[in-house]
Amino acid sequence: MKKFEIAVIPGDGIGREVVPSALNVLDTLSEVHGGLRFETNQFDWSCEHYLEHGKMMPEDGIKTLSNFDGIFLGAVGNPKLVPDHISLWGLLVKIRREFEQVINIRPAKLMKGVKSPLANPKDFDLIVVRENSEGEYSEIGGRIHRGEDQTAVQNAIFTRKGTERAMRYAFELAKKRRSHVTSATKSNGIFHSMPFWDEVFNDVKQDYSNIGTASFHIDALAAFFVDRPNIFDVIVASNLFGDILTDLGAAIMGSIGIPPAANINLDGKYPSMFEPVHGSAPDIVGKGIANPIGQIWTAKMMLDHFGENELGTKLLEIVEQVTEAGIVTSDIGGKATTSEVTEEICNRIKQL
């Protein structure tokens, strides 16, 4: 019997609605599999926790999480209660940084039965490898002066180590897919960091002669996501560029409620964390219409990380059977509730 110990943080908003759905799916999978078990421990760290305790997580929160095999996160943020820069940096980003989750991976594909807003999506299937620890989201900078002279400085930090490991991860991933890596750059407008990014990419690709490559400026690349997403396989991008591209990827899929994400610790020293791309969506909380697919697909990525690739693949196949059957929530044109979509996925798992 394989056992995985999972720290569960539903977080805010619809996270508290879709996380139970995904856990139900995982429990159903483990029952059908017979040789796999998930032990979960739930933590109520959230914006409401902040209002009560003055922190998004306890002082020993990181130490507590370090004892788990993985972290399953719902959504973080409720700007009506806590400013986003406090909630995100106090929980999500804190976990990413403390646990050296230096790679973020986010897939986007044309799912069966889900209508893309694109006129001709051409059956795209891509994945973005996002450098997750530095780049434009560096904490280095500050403010000086007051009034009309007030100045804000934000420094983007690109190290050879951080840049190269993201690129090598992308090339290794491409070996398992369609053997092509695209680099997202902007070296014609950002004078120092992006030419450096290009140089490292050109160096790394020399070690992968069997992998095709391309490099596009981020503005053109965003346009290509709209008019030719099918040309992409693996895309490697800096922290900011990857963040923006993956929300665009969600949009061309048909809803930000669909795609998942994984924050990967490469050496296994700390647990990796799995979360959907979507946010807490406070406007639909309590209506029973939150799309659970993003969280369930996130569970698939966690299964893959644990080496259960066959089970993860089967789970995504079942999700697409359900979307193709039209049993979907309103964000992608259906009438089903969160629980109805979840129940249908579970029922199909039981038929395996």
Side-chain angles (χ1 to χ4, degrees):
M1 174 72 72
K2 293 181 182 178
K3 182 180 72 172
F4 298 107
E5 296 186 0
I6 311 299
V8 178
I9 309 174
D12 298 297
I14 63 168
R16 301 183 184 187
E17 300 175 14
V18 296
V19 165
S21 292
L23 294 180
N24 191 7
V25 169
L26 283 174
D27 286 341
T28 305
L29 274 175
S30 64
E31 290 172 11
V32 171
H33 185 279
L36 186 67
R37 182 158 56 97
F38 298 96
E39 288 192 358
T40 60
N41 197 328
Q42 189 159 306
F43 301 92
D44 66 348
W45 305 338
S46 62
C47 288
E48 290 184 0
H49 183 278
Y50 180 89
L51 292 181
E52 184 176 351
H53 301 282
K55 294 181 180 295
M56 291 296 295
M57 65 163 63
E59 290 289 348
D60 63 350
I62 292 295
K63 181 179 179 181
T64 299
L65 294 176
S66 67
N67 297 316
F68 290 88
D69 297 313
I71 303 166
F72 199 57
L73 178 68
V76 179
N78 186 339
K80 290 185 177 180
L81 299 179
V82 181
D84 281 341
H85 70 280
I86 292 177
S87 60
L88 270 292
W89 282 84
L91 185 59
L92 173 64
V93 178
K94 183 177 178 64
I95 294 172
R96 286 177 177 172
R97 298 289 171 91
E98 295 280 346
F99 286 155
E100 299 175 11
Q101 295 168 351
V102 297
I103 301 293
N104 180 284
I105 51 176
R106 297 180 174 182
K109 69 189 295 286
L110 185 66
M111 296 191 74
K112 296 176 181 177
V114 179
K115 181 176 174 55
S116 168
L118 301 180
N120 187 11
K122 300 179 182 177
D123 202 23
F124 63 89
D125 183 354
L126 59 88
I127 189 164
V128 176
V129 175
R130 169 187 171 192
E131 197 291 313
N132 205 37
S133 63
E134 50 185 44
E136 302 90 346
Y137 291 173
S138 161
E139 297 175 66
I140 298 175
R143 298 187 188 190
I144 58 173
H145 308 312
R146 295 290 182 269
E148 66 178 12
D149 292 325
Q150 187 172 24
T151 303
V153 177
Q154 178 76 45
N155 291 335
I157 303 299
F158 288 78
T159 66
R160 174 84 193 203
K161 179 180 179 180
T163 302
E164 183 171 333
R165 69 188 169 198
M167 291 173 176
R168 290 194 179 277
Y169 190 96
F171 276 96
E172 292 296 327
L173 185 58
K175 286 181 180 180
K176 305 171 187 176
R177 290 174 51 93
R178 301 193 305 279
S179 298
H180 194 277
V181 177
T182 299
S183 169
T185 184
K186 189 56 181 170
S187 50
N188 64 342
I190 302 177
F191 191 81
H192 294 294
S193 60
M194 285 294 105
F196 171 78
W197 176 277
D198 292 349
E199 290 165 14
V200 177
F201 185 75
N202 288 331
D203 287 346
V204 170
K205 74 179 184 182
Q206 303 305 316
D207 295 334
Y208 296 90
S209 58
N210 293 328
I211 304 293
T213 62
S215 180
F216 294 116
H217 295 307
I218 187 63
D219 44 351
L221 184 49
F224 292 156
F225 259 48
V226 174
D227 66 12
R228 61 191 82 169
N230 58 297
I231 71 171
F232 298 112
D233 179 19
V234 179
I235 300 165
V236 63
S238 66
N239 215 329
L240 176 62
F241 291 174
D243 198 4
I244 294 170
L245 283 176
T246 49
D247 270 24
L248 182 54
I252 65 174
M253 287 181 68
S255 171
I256 201 168
I258 300 174
N263 301 279
I264 304 298
N265 172 263
L266 292 177
D267 59 12
K269 182 179 179 182
Y270 302 110
S272 294
M273 179 167 62
F274 306 87
E275 54 168 331
V277 172
H278 68 69
S280 59
D283 57 317
I284 61 169
V285 170
K287 297 182 179 180
I289 60 172
N291 192 337
I293 290 177
Q295 195 77 51
I296 293 169
W297 193 350
T298 295
K300 183 265 188 202
M301 294 190 79
M302 185 167 68
L303 287 169
D304 291 342
H305 181 72
F306 289 151
E308 301 294 331
N309 302 78
E310 185 176 345
L311 198 60
T313 298
K314 179 57 66 175
L315 174 56
L316 188 56
E317 288 175 358
I318 289 173
V319 168
E320 288 202 79
Q321 289 173 14
V322 172
T323 57
E324 191 172 28
I327 306 169
V328 295
T329 47
S330 58
D331 59 310
I332 47 177
K335 297 181 179 179
T337 64
T338 307
S339 58
E340 287 170 344
V341 174
T342 305
E343 184 178 355
E344 183 64 22
I345 291 171
C346 289
N347 287 338
R348 291 179 184 246
I349 291 172
K350 292 173 183 177
Q351 297 169 17
L352 291 175

